[in-house]
Amino acid sequence: PLFYWLQAALDFVFPAECTYCHKFLGDDRVAIFCQFCWDKIAIISGPVCPRCGQPYVSEVALQKTPHFICGACRTTKIFFDRAVTTAYYETVLKEAIHQFKFNHKTGLGKHLAQLMIGHLSEELAISQYHAILPVPLCRVPGSPHIRLPQSCE
């Protein structure tokens, strides 16, 4: 209850707005996004490449060969066993990830993790894995941004 009143007082003095649609957040919020915008995140539900997690265009892509690997995975040397994807990297999710990574909005971490776990628990049998590792990042000297491994030299 104390948090609710503190949040209400802060919203009265400094009205918080959704980072994506810029409407007043109010009580129905997911960190810095309104619930309406957060619900727009497009979850990947169709067939995906079992190696890289890239969605296939066709819904029937894996009907006859359930372990069919996409062309990119067949022609590129990959140094991991499997990648799993949750949602399309666009619109609200893209903005959330940018806010988390580049603007240090660490409060989004819990919500992004819940989004992934909620949809990946069906995909992964967690007990089968010894480790699940995030993609490592590094800070480039002289830049305020964090880069992916291929940018780290």
Side-chain angles (χ1 to χ4, degrees):
L2 179 62
F3 176 77
Y4 174 79
W5 289 107
L6 181 61
Q7 187 68 54
L10 284 172
D11 284 345
F12 181 75
V13 177
F14 304 106
E17 64 179 32
C18 174
T19 302
Y20 193 74
C21 71
H22 304 288
K23 291 183 180 173
F24 177 69
L25 283 177
D27 294 335
D28 197 20
R29 65 175 78 188
V30 178
I32 57 175
F33 295 93
C34 67
Q35 188 67 51
F36 180 77
C37 286
W38 191 259
D39 290 342
K40 286 183 184 178
I41 293 175
I43 304 300
I44 296 172
S45 60
V48 297
C49 173
R51 169 79 52 85
C52 70
Q54 184 68 25
Y56 288 124
V57 178
S58 171
E59 289 290 325
V60 296
L62 299 176
Q63 279 183 348
K64 294 192 179 187
T65 53
H67 301 293
F68 179 75
I69 296 186
C70 73
C73 288
R74 283 184 274 137
T75 59
T76 307
K77 187 168 183 160
I78 298 176
F79 298 97
F80 55 84
D81 294 329
R82 183 176 181 199
V84 181
T85 54
T86 301
Y88 291 96
Y89 181 66
E90 60 187 17
T91 65
V92 178
L93 182 59
K94 184 175 182 178
E95 181 64 25
I97 291 171
H98 281 225
Q99 290 292 326
F100 180 73
K101 285 175 63 175
F102 304 123
N103 294 332
H104 309 290
K105 302 293 184 186
T106 56
L108 282 167
K110 176 179 80 171
H111 300 287
L112 291 169
Q114 288 173 343
L115 179 72
M116 290 185 290
I117 290 168
H119 296 282
L120 293 180
S121 60
E122 300 165 6
E123 177 74 22
L124 293 175
I126 300 293
S127 61
Q128 294 179 0
Y129 295 91
H130 297 290
I132 297 176
L133 304 174
V135 175
L137 303 173
C138 71
R139 190 172 295 281
V140 176
S143 171
H145 299 297
I146 297 172
R147 303 282 187 223
L148 291 173
Q150 64 269 23
S151 303
C152 302
E153 297 175 16

